[in-house]
Amino acid sequence: MLKVARLNSSYPGGLKAYIQNARKLLADSKAGKNPYDGFTPSVPSGEVLTFGDDNFIKLEEAGVREAKNAAFVLVAGGLGERLGYKGIKLALPAETTTGKCFLQQYIESILALQEASCKLAGGQQHMQIPLVIMTSDDTNAPTLKLLESNSYFGMVPSQVKLLKQEKVACLDDNDARLALDPNDKYKIQTKPHGHGDVHALLYSSGMLYHWKSAGRKWVLFFQDTNGLLFKAIPASLGVSATKGYDVNSLAVPRKAKEAIGGITKLTHADGRTMVINVEYNQLDPLLRATGHPDGDVNCETGYSPYPGNINQLILKLDSYIEELGKTRGAIAEFVNPKYKDSSKTSFKSSTRLECMMQDYPKTLPPSANVGFTVMDTWLAYAPVKNNPEDAAKVPKGNPHHSATTGEMAIYRANSLILRKAGVQIADPVNDVFNGQEVEVWPRITWSPMWALIFADVKRKVNDKCFVSQRSTLVINGQNVFLDGLSLDGTLVVNAIDEAEVKVVGSIQNKGWVLKHVDYKDTSFPEEIRMRGFKIEKLEQLEKSYTEPGNFCLSS
Ligand code: UGB
């Protein structure tokens, strides 16, 4: 009874609306109706950014300025079935040099943005940037435990709010009869409804009105395992602010047919237009059906003209509230029944309605200002979604999206950023871990407090610095300056904010080396096996500065 009441109250319009929607979508599916019938796809226009140029630097500063008016929403209710990890993905190390997990990395980045933004505003006000985490029955308790056992990674506990999404009822047939739990015929069987639930939850929790009354302007949505995301956030928020976008989707260049959705402009025969993510398995058939016989193909750039949706969205709070006032957060749904045969009269197993957060613009009026921001993949996107076996099968040239590539992408991005700032960084070497060929760059990591945007990096290094390929460099501290450092080995610098540390001269030691580990070797923890390597710490120079003052670090 309780469960029925919950199923009823957690769906906009209740179970009655759910069943009505299901009947319609199931009838459409049986009739083979294409949801994009009547729409013609075309390439939308948006902002294409180049890391490090004047425009990028200007946008990053605008983004940091705006960040004090933002709220972050992390969707983390997914089980990560494709990854097959036994724990929650937020607890996975983003990289194993420091071992910081995704949630820690995200929270530290938000705190750094908060500090930088308040400083730019004159340092008077100290606004806390709120973080909402959408969880599910599968992820809620371990997410809370992760936060509590780590003192919320430095956030004030009241700054973080967990909103749990409910599952939806499963359906047995085309009439949307509710399916009973095979193990308990007095229970309705339920399954996840998808990340689109986040909009209804934010609406029904009253969170949006609370944010509005606190003067917030932007809501930033992001996913659970993208270790590069915060390198893309400041500039993208800068784009939203300068363009006044109601919706800004972050995107990366995408190979034709790559398994991520494509941002597409859809124009209906009746004149309606929208800029929306079209999932990759629908984009190719849609193009073929509308006069592009080859479907989704790469253009002269070597990429599909339809940029890849990385599901990081920036919404303008004013228009978001207005829209949700009309829809109560209900999002366009879809159904994907597995039929027993071509008569499409019965299912192999029960089905349910699903929804995706990026479908939010589908109900917006044509006057809405919907755009997107494309950034280089190396800077913005390296999720951890696939288990080693599946990742190894990804066709050459397409991203593996594994724990291996997620970690390597962080080192590559940091190396390329330092290079762009003038540091000489040795070329990477190629290696194969868990059957995936990757570039191994020096293992460089820094805390977000050291550098949040490119201008921070440029202020803290100079072109007299050098880092060899086999090196590891870890910087923890706001005021650490690399001034002519030549590193061939491992250097770890920890410093409190009040300690100003100048790192100079040549530092050489045996360093930390990567040892191959096979993912099937159960003598290693799962977090290590899944990336195919382990860091062996042979020798390092580690210095910690815990007192205020000016210091010089040399070998
Ligand atoms: N998630 C929830 O919070 N609740 C749910 O019920 C389900 C998921 P997946 P997906 O990045 O390349 C998306 O499973 O849905 C969270 C886009 O739709 O990792 O297959 C979950 O915890 C696609 O267009 O991805 O694909 C995670 O944080 C493309 O952009 C997030 O939702 C693709 O991501 C995404 O869930 C991509």
Side-chain angles (χ1 to χ4, degrees):
M1 196 54 210
L2 258 178
K3 193 162 174 185
V4 178
R6 205 158 357 118
L7 285 173
N8 192 46
S9 64
S10 60
Y11 187 85
L15 267 175
K16 192 172 161 208
Y18 180 71
I19 292 168
Q20 272 166 1
N21 293 343
R23 283 190 182 142
K24 175 158 188 334
L25 287 166
L26 285 164
D28 287 352
S29 166
K30 187 171 180 227
K33 199 171 160 196
N34 182 337
Y36 296 111
D37 258 358
F39 283 103
T40 309
S42 59
V43 179
S45 62
E47 288 292 300
V48 180
L49 306 187
T50 306
F51 175 79
D53 70 6
D54 289 348
N55 184 43
F56 189 90
I57 290 172
K58 226 172 55 209
L59 287 169
E60 278 202 317
E61 199 190 307
V64 171
R65 204 173 281 284
E66 208 58 36
K68 63 182 184 304
N69 303 320
F72 282 85
V73 179
L74 166 56
V75 290
L79 256 184
E81 275 147 348
R82 277 182 282 162
L83 185 65
Y85 175 56
K86 66 172 171 1
I88 51 166
K89 293 204 277 174
L90 283 178
L92 273 176
E95 37 79 14
T96 49
T97 294
T98 65
K100 280 185 192 174
C101 68
F102 282 104
L103 188 55
Q104 177 169 9
Q105 210 209 53
Y106 289 155
I107 287 184
E108 286 186 354
S109 300
I110 294 171
L111 289 173
L113 260 177
Q114 178 179 297
E115 185 166 326
S117 193
C118 290
K119 215 182 259 173
L120 271 184
Q124 301 302 332
Q125 56 207 123
H126 200 82
M127 269 184 146
Q128 283 172 1
I129 299 180
L131 168 65
V132 161
I133 307 177
M134 181 172 80
T135 57
S136 64
D137 277 329
D138 302 315
T139 63
N140 192 66
T143 306
L144 190 59
K145 190 167 162 221
L146 181 64
L147 284 164
E148 286 178 347
S149 53
N150 289 286
S151 310
Y152 285 73
F153 297 111
M155 268 193 175
V156 181
S158 60
Q159 204 172 346
V160 188
K161 176 118 183 119
L162 267 52
L163 293 180
K164 184 160 76 76
Q165 65 177 140
E166 295 295 337
K167 292 182 177 163
V168 286
C170 293
L171 309 162
D172 252 346
D173 58 25
N174 282 330
D175 289 328
R177 281 195 187 82
L178 301 184
L180 297 180
D181 192 324
N183 304 316
D184 182 350
K185 64 177 179 168
Y186 296 108
K187 267 194 191 151
I188 295 174
Q189 194 188 358
T190 56
K191 281 190 184 163
H193 189 218
H195 39 68
D197 277 347
V198 72
H199 302 295
L201 274 176
L202 285 175
Y203 178 74
S204 62
S205 64
M207 195 64 72
L208 300 179
Y209 294 98
H210 173 67
W211 286 343
K212 188 171 161 59
S213 62
R216 311 223 154 260
K217 292 188 188 152
W218 308 101
V219 188
L220 291 90
F221 294 82
F222 62 114
Q223 302 193 152
D224 49 17
T225 60
N226 181 7
L228 299 181
L229 174 71
F230 278 86
K231 298 188 188 302
I233 288 286
S236 321
L237 184 55
V239 169
S240 279
T242 48
K243 294 268 169 186
Y245 279 152
D246 293 304
V247 179
N248 183 9
S249 298
L250 273 60
V252 294
R254 170 181 162 279
K255 290 274 181 196
K257 301 186 183 63
E258 194 183 316
I260 60 173
I263 311 260
T264 310
K265 180 171 180 183
L266 295 176
T267 307
H268 198 270
D270 64 14
R272 274 178 294 150
T273 62
M274 57 183 169
V275 176
I276 194 86
N277 170 65
V278 176
E279 284 298 299
Y280 66 95
N281 53 345
Q282 294 177 318
L283 181 59
D284 190 67
L286 176 65
L287 285 163
R288 286 175 197 273
T290 51
H292 306 85
D294 297 328
D296 182 21
V297 281
N298 293 328
C299 61
E300 62 288 350
T301 59
Y303 289 94
S304 163
Y306 300 92
N309 164 48
I310 61 169
N311 240 13
Q312 331 285 323
L313 309 173
I314 304 179
L315 304 186
K316 191 197 274 173
L317 182 60
D318 274 348
S319 50
Y320 185 43
I321 286 191
E322 198 182 318
E323 179 64 12
L324 263 49
K326 294 182 217 151
T327 62
R328 288 182 288 171
I331 248 20
E333 293 165 303
F334 60 96
V335 69
N336 196 8
K338 306 278 179 288
Y339 297 110
K340 266 196 188 141
D341 56 40
S342 59
S343 70
K344 295 190 174 177
T345 45
S346 49
F347 309 155
K348 281 187 192 153
S349 58
S350 66
T351 188
R352 88 289 196 182
L353 301 192
E354 294 176 72
C355 61
M356 300 189 292
M357 72 170 172
Q358 67 270 32
D359 278 343
Y360 163 73
K362 279 191 175 165
T363 56
L364 284 175
S367 56
N369 194 359
V370 182
F372 61 90
T373 304
V374 183
M375 271 186 236
D376 289 319
T377 308
W378 68 260
L379 182 72
Y381 193 53
V384 177
K385 297 203 182 219
N386 293 324
N387 62 61
E389 214 159 325
D390 291 342
K393 288 187 211 141
V394 168
K396 206 175 160 57
N398 279 7
H400 299 287
H401 290 170
S402 66
T404 315
T405 53
E407 173 157 358
M408 288 300 163
I410 293 173
Y411 305 139
R412 181 179 50 182
N414 289 341
S415 295
L416 290 174
I417 291 169
L418 286 189
R419 253 194 193 173
K420 181 86 188 165
V423 177
Q424 296 168 60
I425 303 281
D427 283 337
V429 297
N430 284 350
D431 206 337
V432 178
F433 300 103
N434 282 344
Q436 303 152 57
E437 186 170 346
V438 290
E439 284 182 355
V440 183
W441 290 79
R443 273 68 67 208
I444 299 173
T445 72
W446 56 74
S447 60
M449 284 292 186
W450 184 69
L452 195 59
I453 55 176
F454 187 48
D456 296 333
V457 177
K458 286 213 298 187
R459 267 190 310 114
K460 293 178 181 179
V461 303
N462 63 26
D463 58 8
K464 293 191 250 21
C465 297
F466 167 77
V467 181
S468 73
Q469 186 278 333
R470 66 175 200 92
S471 290
T472 300
L473 173 63
V474 180
I475 308 173
N476 282 316
Q478 211 173 115
N479 292 308
V480 176
F481 296 86
L482 308 185
D483 183 6
L485 163 74
S486 173
L487 179 64
D488 183 35
T490 293
L491 171 66
V492 180
V493 193
N494 307 304
I496 58 166
D497 291 354
E498 298 76 20
E500 192 171 314
V501 183
K502 208 156 135 189
V503 188
V504 298
S506 166
I507 294 174
Q508 200 172 22
N509 53 47
K510 289 188 189 132
W512 296 356
V513 293
L514 299 183
K515 290 276 177 200
H516 287 82
V517 169
D518 190 278
Y519 73 91
K520 291 190 197 115
D521 185 347
T522 50
S523 64
F524 289 96
E526 195 181 356
E527 294 76 8
I528 295 297
R529 282 192 283 133
M530 70 199 304
R531 55 201 78 225
F533 58 84
K534 138 179 204 301
I535 295 177
E536 212 161 83
K537 299 181 177 180
L538 300 179
E539 193 187 6
Q540 68 279 326
L541 178 66
E542 176 160 8
K543 293 268 180 163
S544 296
Y545 299 86
T546 52
E547 300 292 329
N550 291 308
F551 305 91
C552 184
L553 193 172
S554 59
S555 56

